Amino acid sequence: MEKLKTISGSEIRLLVGGRSNVFLVSNNQIKILVDTGPAFSGKLLLKKLKQQSIISIDYLLLTHTHFDHAANAQELKDKFGLKVIAHED
């Protein structure tokens, strides 16, 4: 699993790759999930989060709401109580 660190100390982790990538961006204060992937990758995403001991996520940032980027949004919102950020269109 790829993990990058920014100059300011934030981490960017690739959780699920493929047709649609899912990233977790975090620092000492917040965790932001970027996209959720297609429906068929939902179980894999939850498995990756569990493997990395991620028990809380603050925000879900959807780059756009196509099925391959946002299909698991409701499940993750229900599980983590996160806030969803998306463009109004």
Side-chain angles (χ1 to χ4, degrees):
M1 186 151 322
E2 186 175 344
K3 185 191 304 188
L4 304 170
K5 199 163 216 163
T6 67
I7 292 172
S8 65
S10 296
E11 289 185 354
I12 303 169
R13 301 182 211 183
L14 175 63
L15 296 176
V16 179
R19 178 182 177 141
S20 174
N21 295 321
V22 179
F23 294 95
L24 183 68
V25 180
S26 61
N27 63 20
N28 293 331
Q29 298 174 1
I30 62 170
K31 293 182 187 85
I32 303 169
L33 191 68
V34 180
D35 287 339
T36 71
F40 67 81
S41 69
K43 288 181 183 174
L44 175 61
L45 175 55
L46 290 173
K47 179 182 173 184
K48 297 287 185 175
L49 290 167
K50 185 176 181 179
Q51 286 174 343
Q52 295 190 36
S53 301
I54 305 297
I55 58 171
S56 69
I57 301 172
D58 301 293
Y59 298 95
L60 168 59
L61 174 64
L62 296 174
T63 58
H64 59 287
T65 57
H66 289 168
F67 73 95
D68 58 333
H69 290 260
N72 300 297
Q74 186 65 54
E75 181 179 2
L76 291 164
K77 182 178 180 193
D78 293 345
K79 180 171 180 63
F80 293 102
L82 48 76
K83 294 176 179 74
V84 179
I85 302 168
H87 192 278
E88 65 184 33
D89 289 342

